Amino acid sequence: MPFYIRVGKVPPKRHITFYKPDGKSLYREELFGTKGFSGIYSNKYHLYMPPQVENIRELNFVGAEDWEDAPLQYYHFMTENKQTDGNFFTSRNEFLKNDHCIISTANVTEDTDIFFRNSHMHEIVFVHHGTGEFMSEYGSLPFEEWDYIVVPKGTTYHMKFNSFEKVKLFIIESDTPFDIPTHYRNEYGQLKEDAPYYERDFHVPQFTEPIDQKGSFRLILKVRGRYYEYELPHHPFDVVGWDGYLYPYTFNIKEYAPKVGKIHLPPPIHLVFTTQHFVVCNFVPRLFDFHPQSIPAPYYHSNVDSDEVLYYVYGDFMSRTGVQEGSITLHPMGIPHGPQPGKTEASIGKKETDEYAVMIDTFTPLRLTKNVNETMVEDYHHSWLEK
Ligand SMILES: [Fe+2]
């Protein structure tokens, strides 16, 4: 929702007659809104009535089981070691979760004709590997490697990939919207001069002709960890036009313009999106601090109010040993963390870094799933011991 857009055909005012070319039958208006009727919203104009459904059934499909007795300690696990063949939805594996946030990865291996709607959580789908098209009732949103695809809760979508040679997604779900931080915006909502991105960096859905098809279309709905299959009598992408502020969009991590300080700046300087219960930051290539005695590696710190999750995308991460692409580290609240032995000293005098990583700091503790147990590096919590 970076700004207002209008796509396709919409009537001159809201909530008035809007006839199809036959002059007799109406397009069906749907207000797609948030916070009751007080938050951001869009108005979509459908060929068919949006509530139409032939059959509803609950699916015998559950997310990953919790690892109930996981100790409070540092974790490093390799998401590449847990791959489940399937489409953009069935290939997902959950690793970390609480009531406000679910963190998963997916190595997608096949196409599908299903449509998916997460009716419980907003999503960010970070495309680590793969290219394709994110199709929704809002139109087409082409995506490429390292795009964040921001998907509002309740969006009906489908992901098409150009190839399945290597497709890897990192998925963050949130019960509250992914917002652009207010301190990046001026009083009119426009991105400020000192924001790390600009409106031109956000890509919005392109208009596609409505699909006027009757038949049987399968829609999977996710609600609070339960899944339902809705059999729809018409194609869900039947929108002739829409306008508003609520829609999916993409932003590529390479477009993020990082800030550099005289001495080490803390992670909030790398903020990308906020939610009410966690933040998303990213680390991208940047020059290091320029005080003659600066230490580029972070100091040891105790996040007494945050669990800190890092997903490693690319490069040689300056403060960690042993991590690889697709690794996740979890440094939970209550215990201090920081660079491993030798990393602080090795960073002194370095001028720049060439790393990409996505960080999630949650304000309530995360539960671990059994997928963490299956993929973890056993002795990571000992990796600070000096030998
Ligand atoms: Fe940290």
Side-chain angles (χ1 to χ4, degrees), residues 267 301 303 308 331 337 359:
H301 49 285
N303 292 331
E308 180 188 290
H331 296 148
H337 65 265
M359 187 178 91

Side-chain angles (χ1 to χ4, degrees), residues 159-364:
M159 290 180 80
K160 286 186 108 50
F161 296 91
N162 295 331
S163 146
F164 290 102
E165 203 172 310
K166 184 165 176 61
V167 176
K168 175 74 179 279
L169 309 176
F170 173 61
I171 302 142
I172 312 164
E173 293 172 72
S174 170
D175 66 335
T176 61
F178 289 98
D179 286 325
I180 290 166
T182 50
H183 65 276
Y184 290 167
R185 295 173 171 276
N186 64 23
E187 63 195 296
Y188 297 96
Q190 184 183 18
L191 287 163
K192 292 190 336 196
E193 270 292 303
D194 59 350
Y197 35 54
Y198 186 53
E199 277 83 357
R200 288 178 214 171
D201 297 325
F202 296 100
H203 300 282
V204 300
Q206 299 165 6
F207 177 70
T208 47
E209 289 295 333
I211 301 174
D212 187 359
Q213 250 178 50
K214 289 186 175 174
S216 176
F217 300 88
R218 289 191 310 145
L219 169 66
I220 308 296
L221 277 94
K222 177 180 180 183
V223 187
R224 286 195 172 273
R226 295 168 71 180
Y227 295 85
Y228 297 86
E229 185 181 273
Y230 273 45
E231 189 188 327
L232 308 179
H234 59 80
H235 196 289
F237 301 162
D238 68 337
V239 170
V240 296
W242 62 274
D243 73 341
Y245 281 72
L246 188 58
Y247 48 84
Y249 62 94
T250 63
F251 168 69
N252 194 282
I253 195 172
K254 289 183 189 167
E255 302 303 332
Y256 191 89
K259 293 196 174 74
V260 173
K262 187 168 186 177
I263 52 173
H264 188 87
L265 294 171
I269 205 73
H270 306 290
L271 189 61
V272 194
F273 300 106
T274 52
T275 73
Q276 286 180 30
H277 303 286
F278 65 91
V279 295
V280 180
C281 302
N282 54 208
F283 296 98
V284 300
R286 61 195 182 279
L287 296 177
F288 278 141
D289 326 304
F290 53 88
H291 186 285
Q293 291 168 281
S294 71
I295 299 178
Y299 32 80
Y300 295 93
H301 49 285
S302 283
N303 292 331
V304 295
D305 292 319
S306 295
D307 274 6
E308 180 188 290
V309 178
L310 262 171
Y311 178 76
Y312 298 85
V313 176
Y314 173 83
D316 177 21
F317 209 73
M318 60 151 166
S319 60
R320 295 271 161 270
T321 39
V323 297
Q324 58 188 46
E325 279 189 27
S327 282
I328 288 180
T329 53
L330 167 66
H331 296 148
M333 56 180 75
I335 47 177
H337 65 265
Q340 284 149 321
K343 287 289 190 182
T344 301
E345 291 80 356
S347 77
I348 297 169
K350 289 249 174 80
K351 297 293 178 213
E352 59 185 322
T353 176
D354 186 27
E355 68 198 13
Y356 284 93
V358 179
M359 187 178 91
I360 298 155
D361 261 14
T362 68
F363 310 147
T364 45

Side-chain angles (χ1 to χ4, degrees), residues 92 102-106 123-126 169-173:
R92 291 181 178 196
I102 302 172
I103 296 170
S104 313
T105 62
E123 295 184 347
I124 279 181
V125 179
F126 177 77
L169 309 176
F170 173 61
I171 302 142
I172 312 164
E173 293 172 72

